[in-house]
Amino acid sequence: MKAAIFDMDGVIVDTNPHHRLAWRQYFERYGKPLSDADFVQYVSGKHNSQILTHLFTDRTLSDAESRQLAAEKEALFRELYQPDIAPVAGLIDFLQSLRNAGILTAVGTSAPLENLDFVMDALALRSWFTVLLDESKVSRPKPDPEIYQKAMQLLGVEPHESIIFEDSTTGIRAAKAAGAYVIGLATTDSVEELLRMGANEVIRDFTELTPDRFQELVSRSVPV
């Protein structure tokens, strides 16, 4: 392993409960309820543009409208999450282990730049990562592998030299398509679902990556 690439929501920070709350309040703001079943079907793992299409079924949104509405929702999310923001358990120690081993790191998130900056700066994480990619840096959202392929290119590594950490089925599909070894975090979906979607293994948080397990990962790669 030469590089570790991280999704953000559900991997670096467990934001999903607050995203769920923000989307529920946002849907209510526009007069539409959001049930748990609807959240799973229409929101979880989806790009904002897809979610907004479900919310505003009565009209076609222009690109400018879609961007403005998405920015409105993300501002609501940041307001709700600010008092509770915290890294996923064990993250900082794991990042230190990666640095000590000379392993490159990147973030590849479908979130907007404002959210990426919010998390990196609120938790003082920016210095831990060589490459930071948000939704504006790619033309095709996950499950397309573009964001992970671009992260590998910028880090100067091959897919079989990379491990990607993901929490959603959409993200795992992107990571697998990029050709990396994929570790799922069971913060959003179940262990069984993440394995079914193709994760090579699943952890609940980074405390499970003990020193011995870390050494196994460092020596592991996906066959070319």
Side-chain angles (χ1 to χ4, degrees):
M1 179 174 65
K2 293 184 179 179
I5 306 172
F6 300 77
D7 178 36
M8 185 175 74
D9 291 295
V11 173
I12 291 173
V13 281
D14 188 6
T15 54
N16 291 298
H18 290 80
H19 274 299
R20 183 188 294 259
L21 177 61
W23 275 118
R24 182 164 284 128
Q25 291 188 14
Y26 194 71
F27 269 56
E28 290 172 355
R29 180 181 295 179
Y30 286 94
K32 188 171 184 176
L34 182 67
S35 68
D36 288 342
D38 283 346
F39 181 86
V40 171
Q41 183 172 355
Y42 299 110
V43 176
S44 183
K46 303 294 193 300
H47 191 265
N48 280 350
S49 60
Q50 297 171 300
I51 301 168
L52 291 169
T53 297
H54 173 68
L55 174 55
F56 296 99
T57 55
D58 59 334
R59 60 192 175 100
T60 300
L61 299 174
S62 68
D63 289 344
E65 285 179 304
S66 184
R67 286 193 297 271
Q68 185 273 323
L69 290 166
E72 185 180 281
K73 178 268 167 182
E74 296 305 333
L76 174 60
F77 156 74
R78 293 191 295 273
E79 178 184 343
L80 293 170
Y81 191 45
Q82 176 69 59
D84 301 320
I85 188 169
V88 167
L91 174 69
I92 303 302
D93 287 342
F94 182 62
L95 290 173
Q96 184 65 63
S97 296
L98 293 173
R99 176 172 290 178
N100 292 345
I103 294 169
L104 301 171
T105 53
V107 175
T109 177
S110 295
L113 176 60
E114 293 81 359
N115 285 15
L116 177 60
D117 285 343
F118 166 65
V119 170
M120 291 295 111
D121 295 336
L123 297 176
L125 294 175
R126 193 176 295 273
S127 64
W128 290 106
F129 298 99
T130 305
V131 169
L132 296 171
L133 297 176
D134 63 87
E135 66 169 359
S136 69
K137 302 300 190 297
V138 294
S139 58
R140 301 180 300 277
K142 301 173 188 177
D144 192 283
E146 181 185 6
I147 196 164
Y148 289 131
Q149 291 169 335
K150 187 168 185 178
M152 293 173 194
Q153 180 183 19
L154 292 172
L155 292 174
V157 297
E158 297 297 326
H160 68 277
E161 299 170 327
S162 307
I163 289 179
I164 295 176
F165 293 91
E166 263 289 356
D167 71 301
S168 70
T169 55
T170 301
I172 286 174
R173 288 167 58 197
K176 293 294 289 185
Y181 188 85
V182 182
I183 298 180
L185 270 85
T187 56
T188 304
D189 294 312
S190 68
V191 172
E192 294 75 18
E193 180 66 8
L194 295 177
L195 291 172
R196 187 183 71 81
M197 288 305 298
N200 295 98
E201 59 182 290
V202 177
I203 58 175
R204 300 190 184 280
D205 59 48
F206 293 99
T207 65
E208 295 187 12
L209 296 177
T210 62
D212 287 346
R213 184 71 192 98
F214 176 75
Q215 289 303 317
E216 291 178 17
L217 289 177
V218 169
S219 62
R220 181 190 295 275
S221 66
V222 177
V224 178

